[in-house]
Amino acid sequence: GAVVSQHPSWVICKSGTSVKIECRSLDFQATTMFWYRQFPKQSLMLMATSNEGSKATYEQGVEKDKFLINHASLTLSTLTVTSAHPEDSSFYICSASPEGQGRGNQPQHFGDGTRLSIL
Amino acid sequence: QKEVEQDPGPLSVPEGAIVSLNCTYSNSAFQYFMWYRQYSRKGPELLMYTYSSGNKEDGRFTAQVDKSSKYISLFIRDSQPSDSATYLCAMTRGSTLGRLYFGRGTQLTVWP
């Protein structure tokens, strides 16, 4: 159990376009999901906390107008990179933790990431 | 000073060796401790998860937490080439539903 699915796994697009990345919890509900960015040979950098039914909480230095987050249901959060530029090229990863009655404290599970390349 | 410190390596060992990976932390509020394994171009995969101090064993993996020293370890016995990956320690305060604080990750290579 506790599978997090991320789509697409790899996207290449032209500078100036917007790209949407989906993060789904397949077998559990999650009111909170997290979005990370990872550069080569670096650790994960938290970008924002996605909250179902309310606004996301962004980390300091992350542009909320550039990285739009929508958490419309208990199993889906989306990250849209708007007007993407080459410097936005990176590996984006989401995570979520199973919640609900009887779950207790469960560790977070990660999606397989989305490699974004902006030309 | 970062809240979680982890030697990035790289660490290279022969197949069958015992591998020791470590992290130190500065915030005594951390209560949940995780080890994740990340293969190249993949998301982190949960290996071990412990609460507070103590040891936990799962197959070839053993996780240790010493809260008095603010030190956590992951031991891999009988290491295999398939264990070659980056190992990330992570921890949270109060609840696993909160944000994770990561170490830099240690790159491990197990050669046949």
Side-chain angles (χ1 to χ4, degrees):
Chain A
V3 177
V4 176
S5 174
Q6 206 171 323
H7 179 81
S9 58
W10 193 2
V11 58
I12 303 174
C13 60
K14 293 181 179 179
S15 183
T17 58
S18 293
V19 179
K20 181 185 283 189
I21 302 169
E22 292 186 348
C23 179
R24 293 182 186 273
S25 55
L26 296 188
D27 52 357
F28 64 93
Q29 295 183 336
T31 56
T32 303
M33 293 184 176
F34 299 88
W35 286 96
Y36 297 85
R37 184 173 181 176
Q38 187 177 34
F39 293 104
K41 299 192 184 298
Q42 301 275 325
S43 190
L44 284 73
M45 182 187 78
L46 180 66
M47 298 175 65
T49 302
S50 172
N51 304 298
E52 188 267 336
S54 64
K55 290 183 179 180
T57 305
Y58 291 81
E59 294 299 301
Q60 191 173 9
V62 177
E63 299 176 59
K64 54 186 70 175
D65 294 332
K66 162 69 99 175
F67 299 100
L68 298 179
I69 291 172
N70 184 284
H71 195 150
S73 79
L74 288 172
T75 58
L76 174 64
S77 174
T78 59
L79 168 68
T80 302
V81 184
T82 62
S83 187
H85 291 283
E87 59 267 28
D88 298 323
S89 298
S90 192
F91 192 52
Y92 293 88
I93 314 173
C94 67
S95 74
S97 181
E99 303 169 24
Q101 196 169 17
R103 288 279 194 179
N105 268 306
Q106 296 293 316
Q108 290 183 32
H109 294 263
F110 287 81
D112 260 347
T114 297
R115 186 149 43 117
L116 176 63
S117 298
I118 309 297
L119 304 177
Chain B
Q1 180 191 7
K2 290 190 67 174
E3 289 194 83
V4 182
E5 299 280 357
Q6 183 178 9
D7 186 342
L11 184 61
S12 181
V13 302
E15 184 175 356
I18 297 174
V19 176
S20 172
L21 303 166
N22 312 292
C23 289
T24 60
Y25 61 95
S26 57
N27 193 331
S28 57
F30 289 134
Q31 293 188 58
Y32 294 88
F33 304 90
M34 279 70 71
W35 285 95
Y36 289 89
R37 176 175 63 194
Q38 187 176 24
Y39 292 112
S40 181
R41 298 177 181 175
K42 290 286 190 180
E45 168 195 2
L46 180 70
L47 277 179
M48 301 288 286
Y49 157 55
T50 52
Y51 170 69
S52 195
S53 285
N55 294 357
K56 188 172 184 178
E57 188 173 320
D58 184 2
R60 295 185 296 112
F61 299 92
T62 301
Q64 288 184 352
V65 175
D66 182 350
K67 290 192 73 179
S68 62
S69 301
K70 296 189 180 67
Y71 188 88
I72 70 171
S73 301
L74 177 71
F75 297 94
I76 306 174
R77 290 183 299 280
D78 188 26
S79 56
Q80 303 294 310
S82 58
D83 295 328
S84 299
T86 296
Y87 289 79
L88 296 149
C89 65
M91 44 202 80
T92 67
R93 297 185 276 218
S95 165
T96 57
L97 302 181
R99 65 166 292 175
L100 287 170
Y101 292 81
F102 281 96
R104 281 191 62 184
T106 300
Q107 186 180 344
L108 171 68
T109 301
V110 181
W111 42 275

